[in-house]
């Protein structure tokens, strides 16, 4: 699968990178492995949600015991949301770092 996008409002790059065998890399995204490259390197799926389930369980149990409409319930909701955001941020960070690693693997400079 190849994905290309051309936008007329964005100025074109002055240097164009032509695909060659040296700077081409195939990626297979999967369910058992996060991805496997054409060179055979595999990256496992990090289980960020699974590792934070115990903390989430505790926070959600505390939330369920609070009376609706109280300030303490609002604080408990914020605590649960904060924990979910931490998991989302870890995932996002992992995706960016993995993409950066793949780009450096093929020798592409992307600022």
């Amino acid at each position: 699968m190849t994905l290309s996008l051309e936008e007329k409002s964005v100025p074109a790059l002055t240097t164009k990178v032509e695909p060659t065998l040296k700077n081409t890399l195939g990626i297979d995204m999967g369910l058992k492995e996060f991805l496997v490259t054409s060179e055979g390197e595999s990256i496992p799926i990090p289980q960020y949600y699974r590792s934070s389930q115990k903390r989430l369980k505790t926070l959600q149990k505390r939330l369920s015991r609070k009376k609706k409409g109280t300030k303490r319930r609002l604080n408990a909701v914020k605590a649960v949301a904060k924990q979910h955001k931490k998991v989302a941020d870890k995932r996002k960070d992992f995706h960016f770092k993995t993409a950066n690693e793949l780009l450096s693997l093929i020798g592409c400079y992307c600022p």
Side-chain angles (χ1 to χ4, degrees), residues 14-24 106-108:
T14 55
T15 59
K16 189 172 182 180
V17 178
E18 292 296 325
T20 63
L21 287 177
K22 289 182 180 177
N23 68 356
T24 305
I106 62 172
C108 177

PDB file of all heavy atoms in Angstrom, residues 14-24 106-108:
ATOM      1  N   THR A  14      12.391  21.676  -2.390  1.00  0.00           N
ATOM      2  CA  THR A  14      13.346  21.907  -3.467  1.00  0.00           C
ATOM      3  C   THR A  14      14.120  20.639  -3.794  1.00  0.00           C
ATOM      4  O   THR A  14      14.487  20.419  -4.929  1.00  0.00           O
ATOM      5  CB  THR A  14      14.330  23.026  -3.083  1.00  0.00           C
ATOM      6  OG1 THR A  14      14.947  22.683  -1.839  1.00  0.00           O
ATOM      7  CG2 THR A  14      13.607  24.356  -2.953  1.00  0.00           C
ATOM      8  N   THR A  15      14.364  19.808  -2.788  1.00  0.00           N
ATOM      9  CA  THR A  15      15.051  18.549  -3.036  1.00  0.00           C
ATOM     10  C   THR A  15      14.035  17.421  -2.999  1.00  0.00           C
ATOM     11  O   THR A  15      13.236  17.318  -2.080  1.00  0.00           O
ATOM     12  CB  THR A  15      16.130  18.283  -1.961  1.00  0.00           C
ATOM     13  OG1 THR A  15      15.503  18.242  -0.693  1.00  0.00           O
ATOM     14  CG2 THR A  15      17.185  19.368  -1.983  1.00  0.00           C
ATOM     15  N   LYS A  16      14.087  16.608  -4.014  1.00  0.00           N
ATOM     16  CA  LYS A  16      13.147  15.502  -4.093  1.00  0.00           C
ATOM     17  C   LYS A  16      13.908  14.202  -3.883  1.00  0.00           C
ATOM     18  O   LYS A  16      14.945  13.980  -4.495  1.00  0.00           O
ATOM     19  CB  LYS A  16      12.447  15.502  -5.449  1.00  0.00           C
ATOM     20  CG  LYS A  16      11.314  14.523  -5.524  1.00  0.00           C
ATOM     21  CD  LYS A  16      10.530  14.685  -6.791  1.00  0.00           C
ATOM     22  CE  LYS A  16       9.374  13.711  -6.794  1.00  0.00           C
ATOM     23  NZ  LYS A  16       8.581  13.819  -8.000  1.00  0.00           N
ATOM     24  N   VAL A  17      13.396  13.349  -3.004  1.00  0.00           N
ATOM     25  CA  VAL A  17      14.026  12.063  -2.725  1.00  0.00           C
ATOM     26  C   VAL A  17      13.388  11.023  -3.631  1.00  0.00           C
ATOM     27  O   VAL A  17      12.187  10.781  -3.566  1.00  0.00           O
ATOM     28  CB  VAL A  17      13.845  11.674  -1.234  1.00  0.00           C
ATOM     29  CG1 VAL A  17      14.454  10.317  -0.968  1.00  0.00           C
ATOM     30  CG2 VAL A  17      14.437  12.730  -0.334  1.00  0.00           C
ATOM     31  N   GLU A  18      14.194  10.454  -4.475  1.00  0.00           N
ATOM     32  CA  GLU A  18      13.715   9.404  -5.370  1.00  0.00           C
ATOM     33  C   GLU A  18      13.809   8.061  -4.659  1.00  0.00           C
ATOM     34  O   GLU A  18      14.820   7.765  -4.022  1.00  0.00           O
ATOM     35  CB  GLU A  18      14.555   9.366  -6.655  1.00  0.00           C
ATOM     36  CG  GLU A  18      14.366  10.582  -7.538  1.00  0.00           C
ATOM     37  CD  GLU A  18      12.954  10.700  -8.084  1.00  0.00           C
ATOM     38  OE1 GLU A  18      12.337   9.660  -8.377  1.00  0.00           O
ATOM     39  OE2 GLU A  18      12.476  11.833  -8.189  1.00  0.00           O
ATOM     40  N   PRO A  19      12.757   7.246  -4.741  1.00  0.00           N
ATOM     41  CA  PRO A  19      12.822   5.941  -4.079  1.00  0.00           C
ATOM     42  C   PRO A  19      13.818   5.012  -4.763  1.00  0.00           C
ATOM     43  O   PRO A  19      13.824   4.888  -5.987  1.00  0.00           O
ATOM     44  CB  PRO A  19      11.399   5.405  -4.206  1.00  0.00           C
ATOM     45  CG  PRO A  19      10.728   6.223  -5.228  1.00  0.00           C
ATOM     46  CD  PRO A  19      11.485   7.505  -5.362  1.00  0.00           C
ATOM     47  N   THR A  20      14.683   4.423  -3.966  1.00  0.00           N
ATOM     48  CA  THR A  20      15.634   3.428  -4.458  1.00  0.00           C
ATOM     49  C   THR A  20      15.535   2.212  -3.553  1.00  0.00           C
ATOM     50  O   THR A  20      14.779   2.208  -2.580  1.00  0.00           O
ATOM     51  CB  THR A  20      17.076   3.982  -4.421  1.00  0.00           C
ATOM     52  OG1 THR A  20      17.419   4.248  -3.066  1.00  0.00           O
ATOM     53  CG2 THR A  20      17.223   5.243  -5.246  1.00  0.00           C
ATOM     54  N   LEU A  21      16.311   1.213  -3.858  1.00  0.00           N
ATOM     55  CA  LEU A  21      16.295   0.018  -3.007  1.00  0.00           C
ATOM     56  C   LEU A  21      16.893   0.303  -1.644  1.00  0.00           C
ATOM     57  O   LEU A  21      16.545  -0.339  -0.657  1.00  0.00           O
ATOM     58  CB  LEU A  21      17.053  -1.121  -3.688  1.00  0.00           C
ATOM     59  CG  LEU A  21      16.339  -1.757  -4.877  1.00  0.00           C
ATOM     60  CD1 LEU A  21      17.215  -2.820  -5.510  1.00  0.00           C
ATOM     61  CD2 LEU A  21      15.010  -2.350  -4.459  1.00  0.00           C
ATOM     62  N   LYS A  22      17.787   1.300  -1.551  1.00  0.00           N
ATOM     63  CA  LYS A  22      18.428   1.599  -0.273  1.00  0.00           C
ATOM     64  C   LYS A  22      17.495   2.332   0.684  1.00  0.00           C
ATOM     65  O   LYS A  22      17.578   2.166   1.886  1.00  0.00           O
ATOM     66  CB  LYS A  22      19.684   2.425  -0.498  1.00  0.00           C
ATOM     67  CG  LYS A  22      20.802   1.649  -1.137  1.00  0.00           C
ATOM     68  CD  LYS A  22      22.027   2.492  -1.281  1.00  0.00           C
ATOM     69  CE  LYS A  22      23.140   1.693  -1.938  1.00  0.00           C
ATOM     70  NZ  LYS A  22      24.337   2.501  -2.163  1.00  0.00           N
ATOM     71  N   ASN A  23      16.613   3.198   0.153  1.00  0.00           N
ATOM     72  CA  ASN A  23      15.766   3.983   1.052  1.00  0.00           C
ATOM     73  C   ASN A  23      14.307   3.538   1.015  1.00  0.00           C
ATOM     74  O   ASN A  23      13.423   4.301   1.322  1.00  0.00           O
ATOM     75  CB  ASN A  23      15.891   5.481   0.745  1.00  0.00           C
ATOM     76  CG  ASN A  23      15.293   5.854  -0.594  1.00  0.00           C
ATOM     77  OD1 ASN A  23      14.852   5.003  -1.349  1.00  0.00           O
ATOM     78  ND2 ASN A  23      15.290   7.130  -0.893  1.00  0.00           N
ATOM     79  N   THR A  24      14.069   2.287   0.644  1.00  0.00           N
ATOM     80  CA  THR A  24      12.717   1.743   0.617  1.00  0.00           C
ATOM     81  C   THR A  24      12.591   0.683   1.712  1.00  0.00           C
ATOM     82  O   THR A  24      13.475  -0.141   1.897  1.00  0.00           O
ATOM     83  CB  THR A  24      12.415   1.109  -0.757  1.00  0.00           C
ATOM     84  OG1 THR A  24      12.644   2.091  -1.765  1.00  0.00           O
ATOM     85  CG2 THR A  24      10.986   0.648  -0.835  1.00  0.00           C
ATOM     86  N   ILE A 106      15.952   4.105   7.226  1.00  0.00           N
ATOM     87  CA  ILE A 106      16.098   4.185   5.765  1.00  0.00           C
ATOM     88  C   ILE A 106      16.933   5.379   5.348  1.00  0.00           C
ATOM     89  O   ILE A 106      17.179   5.593   4.173  1.00  0.00           O
ATOM     90  CB  ILE A 106      14.735   4.206   5.050  1.00  0.00           C
ATOM     91  CG1 ILE A 106      13.919   5.420   5.452  1.00  0.00           C
ATOM     92  CG2 ILE A 106      14.002   2.929   5.259  1.00  0.00           C
ATOM     93  CD1 ILE A 106      12.647   5.603   4.646  1.00  0.00           C
ATOM     94  N   GLY A 107      17.362   6.208   6.317  1.00  0.00           N
ATOM     95  CA  GLY A 107      18.251   7.321   6.008  1.00  0.00           C
ATOM     96  C   GLY A 107      17.543   8.538   5.468  1.00  0.00           C
ATOM     97  O   GLY A 107      18.116   9.311   4.719  1.00  0.00           O
ATOM     98  N   CYS A 108      16.324   8.736   5.839  1.00  0.00           N
ATOM     99  CA  CYS A 108      15.557   9.894   5.381  1.00  0.00           C
ATOM    100  C   CYS A 108      15.658  10.986   6.437  1.00  0.00           C
ATOM    101  O   CYS A 108      15.425  10.739   7.605  1.00  0.00           O
ATOM    102  CB  CYS A 108      14.103   9.507   5.156  1.00  0.00           C
ATOM    103  SG  CYS A 108      13.060  10.869   4.678  1.00  0.00           S
TER     104      CYS A 108
END
